[in-house]
């Protein structure tokens, strides 16, 4: 009788470990999937920038410093390989883009350019997608962090080496809403 009880307890422990491991793996994969979604929209934004810079160049030739800052920030993002590097580079790129968009106020011809207006619209839509993707990513990181830090799943997380992910936080500069007028 005692053997059956011990065997039953062992089976329950093994089942608990398996179920918890699978739940942790599912949560980790959700974080990775949500990061991939952010990566897609960040790359879309990076792809829009060369066209935007070329359009602005024609109207604001003496704004070389601003244009160079945008190109440099884009290249930093494109060359970033780790999510943390991409997050930091995304913040720099947002700041540079805000400055570029403000140029349209100083150049009425640029503001009236249909290509620029179209690129501005595409960029705004992409920024909205980034915001939503960032929210989903941070929600999944929050759920995952809870699973790996709360008892008793923290034991299984530590046993199998589940590591935390960084939240995609908005830089202080990015919290300022850019003023884009059409």
């Amino acid at each position: 009788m005692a053997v059956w009880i011990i065997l039953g307890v062992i089976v329950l422990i093994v089942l608990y470990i398996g179920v918890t491991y699978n739940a942790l793996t599912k949560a980790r994969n959700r974080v990775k999937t949500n990061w991939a979604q952010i990566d897609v929209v960040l790359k879309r934004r990076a792809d829009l920038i060369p066209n935007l810079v070329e359009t602005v160049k024609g109207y604001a030739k003496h704004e070389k410093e601003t244009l160079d800052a945008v190109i440099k920030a884009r290249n930093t993002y494109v060359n970033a390989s780790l999510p943390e590097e991409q997050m930091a580079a995304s913040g720099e790129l947002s700041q540079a883009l805000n400055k570029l968009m403000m140029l349209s106020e100083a150049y009425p011809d640029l503001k009236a350019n249909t290509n620029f207006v179209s690129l501005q619209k595409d960029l705004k839509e992409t920024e909205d997608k980034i915001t939503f993707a960032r929210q989903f990513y941070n929600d999944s990181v929050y759920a995952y962090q809870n699973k790996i830090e709360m008892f008793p799943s923290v034991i299984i997380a530590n046993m199998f080496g589940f590591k935390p992910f960084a939240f995609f936080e908005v830089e202080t500069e990015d919290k300022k809403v850019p003023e884009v007028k059409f």
Side-chain angles (χ1 to χ4, degrees):
M1 182 69 167
V3 173
W4 289 109
I5 293 173
I6 292 172
L7 189 58
V9 169
I10 291 172
V11 167
L12 287 175
I13 290 172
V14 168
L15 281 173
Y16 174 76
I17 290 171
V19 168
T20 303
Y21 179 85
N22 288 341
L24 291 168
T25 301
K26 183 178 178 182
R28 180 179 58 197
N29 290 342
R30 183 172 292 122
V31 171
K32 289 178 180 179
T33 298
N34 287 338
W35 174 255
Q37 293 301 317
I38 289 176
D39 197 32
V40 166
V41 290
L42 289 176
K43 280 186 171 87
R44 164 109 172 95
R45 177 175 67 178
D47 291 345
L48 287 171
I49 291 170
N51 292 333
L52 189 62
V53 168
E54 285 303 313
T55 301
V56 172
K57 268 185 189 177
Y59 291 91
K61 290 182 173 86
H62 62 280
E63 299 288 350
K64 184 170 175 20
E65 185 178 311
T66 302
L67 296 171
D68 288 346
V70 171
I71 292 167
K72 180 181 177 231
R74 179 195 181 270
N75 290 340
T76 301
Y77 170 77
V78 169
N79 293 323
S81 57
L82 299 173
E84 291 79 10
E85 293 172 350
Q86 290 173 315
M87 288 178 202
S90 174
E92 291 174 23
L93 186 54
S94 292
Q95 291 172 20
L97 282 173
N98 287 343
K99 290 176 186 171
L100 182 67
M101 289 306 184
M102 288 182 208
L103 286 180
S104 68
E105 295 302 313
Y107 299 93
D109 291 341
L110 175 62
K111 196 174 178 180
N113 179 289
T114 56
N115 190 34
F116 180 76
V117 171
S118 175
L119 288 167
Q120 215 175 18
K121 181 180 174 231
D122 289 348
L123 191 60
K124 183 194 177 315
E125 289 171 1
T126 302
E127 291 296 333
D128 290 343
K129 289 177 184 177
I130 290 169
T131 300
F132 289 120
R134 186 183 285 171
Q135 179 183 348
F136 286 119
Y137 172 79
N138 282 342
D139 288 346
S140 63
V141 168
Y142 174 76
Y144 174 75
Q145 300 293 88
N146 282 341
K147 287 181 188 281
I148 68 169
E149 293 175 2
M150 296 175 97
F151 183 81
S153 61
V154 66
I155 297 167
I156 308 305
N158 287 335
M159 280 176 38
F160 291 101
F162 285 86
K163 302 289 183 214
F165 286 92
F167 285 97
F168 195 156
E169 297 180 11
V170 177
E171 300 293 325
T172 306
E173 238 355 85
D174 289 344
K175 291 181 182 178
K176 296 178 183 174
V177 178
E179 194 172 309
V180 179
K181 296 179 182 175
F182 291 96

